[in-house]
Every structure is written in structure tokens, then in C-alpha cells.
Amino acid sequence: MIRTLLASLFLATAASAAQPPNIVFIFCDDLAYQAMSCYGDHRKLLDTPNMDRLAKEGMRFDRCLVTNSICGPSRAVIQTGKYSHANGFYNNSNSKFDSSQPTFPKVMHEHGYQMAMIGKWHLMTDPVGYDYWNVLPGQGVYYNPPMIDNGKNVKYEGYTTDIIGDLTLDWLQKRDKTKPFMMMCQHKAPHREWEPPTRYLDFDKDRVYEEPETLFDSYSGRSKAVSDHDMGIDRTMTDRDTKLVTPGNLTPEQKKAWDAYYEPRNAKYREAAPAGRDLVKWRYQRYMHDYLACVKAVDDNVGRVLDYLDKEGLTQNTVVMLSSDQGFYLGEHGWFDKRWIFEESLRTPFLVRWPGVIKPGSVNNKIVSLIDFASTFLDIAQCPNLPEVHGRSLVPLFKGEEPADWRKSLYYHYYEYPVPHRVRPHYGVITDRYKLIHYYKPDVDDWELMDREKDPLETKSFYNDPAYAETVKELKAEILRLQAEVKETMPPPRFTHGNKAFDGEVNPPVQEQPKGKGKGAGKKKAGAKKAE
């Protein structure tokens, strides 16, 4: 009997070793680490028990950085493991993903994985390398969304975050259970305009949220690139953002619940007619309510996926990863949105659970990036890596190892200008302590040096301080080394900034897009507002 038990154990172990893990990748849009309780923001904005569960049962990364803080480019980076200049997707204005290039889903599919993509895609061509895909066109909407189901236009009724959760669970239930799988569950939330589900309209009971210390940042002593923006709570938020206008695509039942919550509060706002700093304060409170309610709905659906894995006995052989295309400003520096090399938009949340490999409750402070995800997926799946990638597998870090040659710095480059938020193109290098930044287009040629040790809120530039001269010299050399390593030549072509004219520019160039196949998932209907 003992021999029989040992033989059975051996066969089970061998089968487990032969069967690579499943992967569930939960990806959000504009999810700020400040909004997740496992990251410990001092404002304690929201409890996220299901995301926190991943942190408790896995590893929390505290320095996961992006290379170009904007939606579409980050998604292209994940597909290819390459920087924007190498994968060809620079911005959300005129870029279109070249699906003929090597991508990780193609490799995994070729090696026997079932591949599924559900939710926000936003790369302007159809997904390639997936057995099943059902994606939002363009940015998508929060309520009653049209979607594209493997090339077929469909429409659903309900709240988009929950619908993406439903579709995810439906595919998991119907998959071929003899094969390993990768599910990419990609939420629209909590992207602008931050429309909450009706069930959470009153979730915070009109709580007054603590304001960030830099809500009224004056940008004193900073580059014009920093002060001359169009992403401020004071100057950019619209009536639609602040729910003074009701969305037009609600069902009668949804609209009734919506108006019952917002209209009495909007009436008080109109009666008070706040202006100046008071208006900023009011908008901040409305923004926090709406944004956090959207995150709360995402957390619900993270929990649904984790519960399903438990119920089906899949937890032990499934790697669950949660991240976002970038971080987001929750009032810091008076901003919403992303784009900047500064901390809140540069740093994205990243949680990973891998039972038996990752020590529960681990925290990692190494500099990692979205450019590492493709290589990591392929390593987990025991597949060959993509050629000429700029990232590397994170599996050694998952195992608690500390490779001696792990990166000490990361290159960053943001291109899109002047719309939608007038953030000047800039590139730079990030280390554990410093950021050296060059704003270079179209009317600036400025450098800034941030010292996160002395100024963690990033309100001051130390570039012209003589005490930092040697640091500046070293970091400029590091930028040149990194640009050479990833093979980016400067300046980038004009089309990389989009087709919108710079101030005073005549006839900006129009970028010819690569030819995509299929119906072009991610295209917008004529006249639709451009996605952020």
C-alpha cells in the first residue's frame, strides 16, 4: 500500500510538473495605488479586500514603473515586451498596433495555451493570438456597452465592470479543461469619466476625503512644461466629469437611481455656487466619490474571480496577477489623469499570487516594469522568450531571489502633445532616489532633477543646485546609455506626438497607419469623443 501511495504521489507530482500553470491577468485602466488599501496611503481612501487578498497571499511590488504613462502604449508594451519606439505604438492620437510583430500571446498559443482577452483592448486593431476575444470598442462606456465578440458587434445591458466579470467567468467555465489557459481580464474602470455603479452611489455616505498636501501646488520654480498643463481639477474638469450632467446612455431604471443620488446634491452645489479654491475642493470630493466607487466595483469582480478559482480547485496551479496600464493622480499637484514621469502616474500597482512559489505577504522594492510582463508570462508558461525584448522575466523575483545584475535604473519617454492634456513630451531616467527629466517639445528645452529622498512630494527641482552637479552628469550619461541600449534615436519623428498642430505650427504631418486585419477593434464611431 505504501508503494502504491508513493507511486501515486510521484505521478501526481510529475503531472503537475508537466502541466505549466494557468495565468489570470487582471488589468485595470488608471488604477492608482493610492486607492488600494494594501498600499497604505495615509488618506485611507478605500478598503479593497479582494485586491488586498492577493497582496496577503502573494507579493506586492512597490516600484513597478511604466515606460510611457498612457493607456494604449502601455498595452502595446505588454503585448511585445518592447518600448513604444520599438513596437510602434506611441500615443492614443494616431497610433495603431502592428499585430504582425512578435507578441507573447502568439507564442503561448503555439505552445498549447488557451488564450482569452476580455474587456478593454484599445490598440485599434483586432487581438491576434487569442482563441477568444470580446473587447470594448475604443475606450468603451461604463453602462450598457457595445462590444466586439470575436469580430461580431454585440451589445450588453448592465454595468461594464460587472459584464467583464461575467464574461470572464463564463469563459473560464466553458474552456477546454485539458489545456492550460491564460485569461486577460481587462477592465475599463476606473478611467475617466468615473461613472459608478448604481449600487455604490451612496457607498461612502457623503464622506469628506482628506485632501492631498499638494492639491494647490503652485509649481513655483518649475519648468513651464509643468505649469502650462490642461489636466487640473481647477481648469480641466467638466460638468460631465463631476456628474452635473447625466450620462445619456442609461436605461430608465439606471437613470432613476442615478438622478435620485446626484440631483439633490447637485442642487446644493448650484445654490452654493463655489468658486476659486472652494470649487477645487468641491470637485475633489466629487471626484473621490466617483473614482473610488468605480474601484470598489473592480474589487468586487476581483473577488468573484478568486472565488471561482477556489471553488474549481484551480487556485494552487494558477498564477494571478493584477496591475494597471499606469498610475493616476488623485488630486496630487492639483491633477487628475497620468502621463508624467512623476510618481503617481509613473508607478503602477502590481500584485502577484503564485501558491508554492511566492512567499505570502512578500514585498518587493526592485525596479520592475510593464516591459517585463511579456517575458514573465512566457517564463511561467515554459515558453521561449520573444526576440529583442527590452524587459526580463520577473520569475526570479517571485521566487525571492535577488539577481545581482537586476536593473538599477529605468528609461522613460512620453510623446503625446498637445492634446488631450497639454503635457509636454519628455524623457528621463529613474533610479531609486532620483529622476532626471528633459522636456524637449515644442517650446521648451528644460531639465529637472527630482530627489525623492529630500522631496518625496516632488515639488522642487534640484537641477541647478551646484551640490547636484555630479549627480546630473552621471544621470545624463545614464540616459544616453539607456537610449543606446533600447536603440532609441533622438529626436523622435514628429508623428510620434500625434497629428494635432503645435501652437503656431502649419500643416502638421499625418502618420500613415499599418494595415490592420478584421474590423479594427478599438475604432470609434464617427464623431465620438477621443479617448484619453
Side-chain angles (χ1 to χ4, degrees):
M1 182 175 291
I2 293 176
R3 289 177 181 174
T4 301
L5 289 173
L6 289 173
S8 299
L9 180 61
F10 173 79
L11 290 173
T13 303
S16 177
Q19 176 82 2
N22 308 306
I23 304 174
V24 172
F25 180 63
I26 303 172
F27 200 53
C28 300
D29 193 317
D30 296 344
L31 176 60
Y33 59 86
Q34 309 96 288
M36 300 165 61
S37 43
C38 57
Y39 275 98
D41 187 88
H42 71 276
R43 286 173 283 178
K44 300 185 184 302
L45 296 172
L46 184 69
D47 286 329
T48 50
N50 297 300
M51 297 181 192
D52 291 3
R53 179 183 169 188
L54 287 176
K56 292 174 183 176
E57 297 176 0
M59 180 175 286
R60 187 189 79 207
F61 283 82
D62 284 356
R63 295 295 288 161
C64 184
L65 311 180
V66 301
T67 54
N68 181 3
S69 184
I70 182 173
C71 311
S74 286
R75 294 162 195 274
V77 165
I78 289 175
Q79 291 291 305
T80 63
K82 296 180 180 180
Y83 275 87
S84 300
H85 69 273
N87 66 48
F89 204 103
Y90 293 89
N91 58 57
N92 285 343
S93 294
N94 64 359
S95 293
K96 186 175 181 181
F97 189 66
D98 177 6
S99 58
S100 68
Q101 63 187 305
T103 63
F104 82 84
K106 293 180 187 178
V107 177
M108 290 180 64
H109 188 265
E110 289 169 359
H111 284 76
Y113 266 77
Q114 296 173 90
M115 304 295 294
M117 164 68 69
I118 294 175
K120 182 176 176 181
W121 173 245
H122 205 213
L123 288 177
M124 311 310 289
T125 52
D126 292 348
V128 174
Y130 297 91
D131 297 278
Y132 178 75
W133 53 273
N134 194 344
V135 299
L136 297 165
Q139 184 55 248
V141 295
Y142 271 103
Y143 279 89
N144 312 314
M147 295 183 74
I148 306 173
D149 183 345
N150 274 43
K152 179 183 177 181
N153 293 325
V154 295
K155 185 174 174 61
Y156 299 92
E157 183 174 314
Y159 189 64
T160 298
T161 302
D162 298 333
I163 289 168
I164 291 171
D166 292 342
L167 293 171
T168 296
L169 295 178
D170 183 65
W171 185 87
L172 288 172
Q173 290 167 352
K174 294 177 179 178
R175 76 190 192 283
D176 181 347
K177 295 179 173 59
T178 67
K179 297 180 180 179
F181 66 85
M182 179 167 188
M183 161 55 68
M184 300 190 75
C185 171
Q186 305 206 157
H187 290 288
K188 167 191 171 59
H191 191 281
R192 190 183 186 190
E193 282 91 4
W194 320 294
E195 295 174 8
T198 55
R199 69 179 180 276
Y200 285 143
L201 288 176
D202 195 33
F203 86 99
D204 62 358
K205 307 301 180 185
D206 293 315
R207 172 185 170 183
V208 177
Y209 293 92
E210 180 182 345
E211 296 170 359
E213 296 175 63
T214 57
L215 180 61
F216 295 100
D217 194 341
S218 67
Y219 320 113
S220 176
R222 304 293 298 281
S223 168
K224 173 185 176 182
V226 178
S227 59
D228 183 31
H229 63 80
D230 186 25
M231 53 179 279
I233 293 175
D234 60 342
R235 65 187 79 168
T236 309
M237 277 192 170
T238 67
D239 287 352
R240 176 74 184 276
D241 292 332
T242 52
K243 311 308 179 293
L244 295 170
V245 174
T246 302
N249 62 322
L250 303 181
T251 65
E253 183 181 3
Q254 292 163 353
K255 187 177 186 301
K256 181 179 179 181
W258 185 279
D259 289 344
Y261 177 82
Y262 282 109
E263 284 308 307
R265 292 164 175 80
N266 290 348
K268 291 181 180 179
Y269 160 81
R270 294 185 179 99
E271 182 180 356
R277 290 171 71 95
D278 289 339
L279 177 59
V280 173
K281 287 172 174 287
W282 182 87
R283 286 177 175 173
Y284 171 75
Q285 294 299 329
R286 176 59 61 88
Y287 172 37
M288 286 301 92
H289 166 271
D290 296 344
Y291 179 95
L292 296 171
C294 292
V295 176
K296 191 171 176 62
V298 172
D299 190 69
D300 286 349
N301 283 279
V302 172
R304 293 176 68 197
V305 171
L306 297 182
D307 289 346
Y308 174 83
L309 296 176
D310 288 345
K311 178 183 176 183
E312 297 297 316
L314 294 168
T315 298
Q316 290 303 309
N317 198 41
T318 301
V319 182
V320 180
M321 303 170 67
L322 182 145
S323 189
S324 176
D325 46 10
Q326 64 269 316
F328 211 65
Y329 290 97
L330 301 186
E332 298 88 356
H333 307 289
W335 294 334
F336 64 92
D337 209 70
K338 53 266 185 178
R339 302 171 196 273
W340 299 100
I341 195 174
F342 308 128
E343 200 68 7
E344 290 83 6
S345 52
L346 172 75
R347 177 183 166 195
T348 195
F350 183 35
L351 307 174
V352 187
R353 184 184 73 180
W354 189 354
V357 175
I358 291 177
K359 180 181 177 182
S362 301
V363 177
N364 191 288
N365 291 299
K366 297 289 185 185
I367 295 176
V368 303
S369 176
L370 300 187
I371 58 171
D372 299 320
F373 284 15
S375 298
T376 302
F377 295 146
L378 292 169
D379 194 1
I380 292 171
Q382 302 169 23
C383 296
N385 203 0
L386 295 168
E388 300 180 348
V389 289
H390 295 135
R392 59 188 291 186
S393 172
L394 301 173
V395 169
L397 301 186
F398 295 168
K399 295 178 178 179
E401 301 170 5
E402 296 190 5
D405 62 344
W406 197 261
R407 69 171 67 90
K408 299 294 192 297
S409 65
L410 186 76
Y411 178 62
Y412 180 90
H413 197 158
Y414 170 81
Y415 303 85
E416 191 172 55
Y417 180 86
V419 294
H421 286 297
R422 203 170 173 80
V423 174
R424 300 302 195 288
H426 58 283
Y427 62 84
V429 61
I430 305 106
T431 69
D432 284 341
R433 177 173 176 178
Y434 298 110
K435 294 173 187 168
L436 182 64
I437 311 154
H438 185 208
Y439 311 101
Y440 65 90
K441 280 282 186 180
D443 56 350
V444 293
D445 183 13
D446 299 337
W447 290 85
E448 288 192 332
L449 175 69
M450 317 309 292
D451 183 344
R452 292 179 54 245
E453 184 177 293
K454 289 190 175 180
D455 178 31
L457 297 180
E458 296 185 317
T459 60
K460 178 182 178 180
S461 172
F462 296 84
Y463 181 78
N464 293 316
D465 187 332
Y468 288 83
E470 188 61 29
T471 298
V472 168
K473 180 180 178 181
E474 292 173 358
L475 292 176
K476 282 187 174 181
E478 182 66 359
I479 287 177
L480 293 175
R481 185 190 73 80
L482 291 171
Q483 287 177 334
E485 183 178 279
V486 301
K487 299 180 181 179
E488 177 165 41
T489 56
M490 296 295 295
R494 169 62 182 84
F495 73 81
T496 64
H497 309 302
N499 296 334
K500 184 72 172 179
F502 296 158
D503 295 346
E505 183 181 34
V506 179
N507 297 325
V510 175
Q511 160 74 336
E512 292 187 4
Q513 299 296 347
K515 294 180 180 179
K517 296 181 179 180
K519 297 186 178 181
K523 291 182 180 177
K524 292 186 218 326
K525 295 179 181 179
K529 181 180 176 182
K530 183 177 291 296
E532 292 290 311

